[in-house]
Amino acid sequence: MAEVIWGLATSHVPSIGAAMDNKKTEDAYWKPLFDGYAPARAWMTDHTPDVAIIVYNDHANAIDLAMTPTFAIGTADKYTVADEGWGPRQVPVVKGAPELSRHLLGSLIDDGFDMTVCQELEVDHGLTVPLSVYCPDPGEEWPCAVVPLLVNVIQYPQPTAARCLALGEALGRAIRSFPEDIKVAVFGTGGMSHQLAGARAGLINETFDRMFLKAIETDPESLAALSREDYVREAGSEGIEMIMWLIMRGALGSDISRVHETYHVPASNTAAALALFENLSTKTSA
Ligand code: DHB
Ligand code: FE
């Protein structure tokens, strides 16, 4: 049976990827952020999954705003890297896990989550930057296959945080019912507080971010009880990306421990964080 071995929450700021691509991680601006990642990266290298399910949002790169699925899942055998205006990032093509994708799709739909299917999909910084946070030097290929799980966090009405937590719980059940003995990691991406445009551009709310970082481990239900307006007001119009962490959290279940956490301001316009959780219920075989 498949099992979830760990969950990673991480910001996906494009310039974090650009800093790695352009060898600027030792620069004074970026070094503190990347130093903060180091213990998590070392641990993840010792606990490699076969497949990463990456919960992320497309930023109108692959999915036209004319058609915005609330929740979608990729079922392709590979995902090419999107050109976001500067040419595609020079990172490996993302290998899919189509059998697992199709299993998750069926299971989630049977469980009441009407997922959109993406048989073809390009992936933008929302997915490739978290992969680089996990694996900074992939060489010719990423160390694991990927199932992209997309969430609309950019167009009103975004799904509720409660629905995201429930989707994560259903995702956990779906993973555990996959008959192959594979190890799965779940990534929840985006956040923390940030607003890229409008009167409040540049907003950072460290108090809210620190509360969220603690509660994502100990009391995710309290975060699921917040409305989308609460997220936008407290964390900014793009800070609502944090609801995607709740999908990762729901998939992990109740028996977890925090391996590492780091919080750094600023990364571009964003409060950047990483939080890594081990699933203790699968620890013996991880
Ligand atoms: C930034 C942050 C994001 O989450 C994003 O998708 C794009 C840009 C930023 O802070 O620059
Ligand atoms: Fe974003």
Side-chain angles (χ1 to χ4, degrees):
M1 301 298 262
E3 56 185 20
V4 182
I5 58 170
W6 49 260
L8 176 72
T10 175
S11 304
H12 63 215
V13 183
S15 55
I16 295 176
M20 284 184 260
D21 299 345
N22 297 308
K23 314 247 173 299
K24 290 187 188 258
T25 57
E26 292 296 311
D27 287 11
Y29 181 88
W30 288 111
K31 192 174 177 347
L33 176 91
F34 289 100
D35 284 353
Y37 288 170
R41 282 172 159 173
W43 189 92
M44 290 186 286
T45 303
D46 289 339
H47 298 78
T48 51
D50 301 299
V51 183
I53 298 174
I54 304 190
V55 180
Y56 83 108
N57 67 294
D58 179 77
H59 299 74
N61 289 304
I63 297 182
D64 194 300
L65 284 180
M67 214 182 285
T68 308
T70 301
F71 295 123
I73 196 159
T75 57
D77 56 12
K78 67 173 183 331
Y79 305 94
T80 50
V81 177
D83 181 348
E84 302 186 44
W86 294 271
R89 289 188 65 209
Q90 295 301 299
V91 291
V93 70
V94 175
K95 195 165 37 123
E99 270 186 48
L100 177 61
S101 287
R102 284 193 290 269
H103 170 83
L104 298 176
L105 180 64
S107 177
L108 289 171
I109 288 181
D110 284 353
D111 217 346
F113 290 88
D114 302 322
M115 311 294 289
T116 296
V117 188
C118 300
Q119 300 198 57
E120 290 177 16
L121 178 69
E122 290 194 335
V123 289
D124 76 0
H125 67 270
L127 184 139
T128 66
V129 170
L131 263 184
S132 295
V133 169
Y134 162 46
C135 177
D137 298 306
E140 293 296 305
E141 68 179 285
W142 295 108
C144 59
V146 169
V147 173
L149 195 163
L150 298 103
V151 182
N152 166 38
V153 291
I154 61 176
Q155 278 218 113
Y156 180 87
Q158 301 90 339
T160 63
R163 191 68 174 152
C164 288
L165 184 61
L167 173 60
E169 289 163 359
L171 179 64
R173 290 190 289 275
I175 295 164
R176 290 189 296 276
S177 68
F178 187 60
E180 278 178 42
D181 287 332
I182 56 167
K183 293 182 169 55
V184 175
V186 182
F187 289 35
T189 73
M192 298 197 92
S193 56
H194 64 300
Q195 172 146 340
L196 300 179
R200 298 198 308 157
L203 174 143
I204 302 282
N205 184 347
E206 180 162 351
T207 307
F208 181 82
D209 290 342
R210 298 257 182 218
M211 178 282 293
F212 189 98
L213 268 173
K214 188 157 182 243
I216 192 78
E217 178 182 2
T218 57
D219 189 11
E221 287 76 17
S222 68
L223 304 176
L226 300 176
S227 69
R228 73 172 66 79
E229 290 75 16
D230 291 331
Y231 279 96
V232 171
R233 186 180 58 251
E234 296 299 326
S237 51
E238 279 75 30
I240 194 174
E241 288 176 345
M242 278 188 247
I243 62 173
M244 295 187 288
W245 294 24
L246 286 166
I247 299 176
M248 174 278 291
R249 182 64 186 84
L252 272 181
S254 54
D255 195 11
I256 65 167
S257 78
R258 183 176 304 241
V259 177
H260 183 65
E261 168 188 307
T262 186
Y263 180 80
H264 177 77
V265 179
S268 181
N269 296 293
T270 299
L274 171 154
L276 175 62
F277 301 100
E278 178 171 27
N279 186 355
L280 296 177
S281 70
T282 60
K283 189 181 166 85
T284 46
S285 53

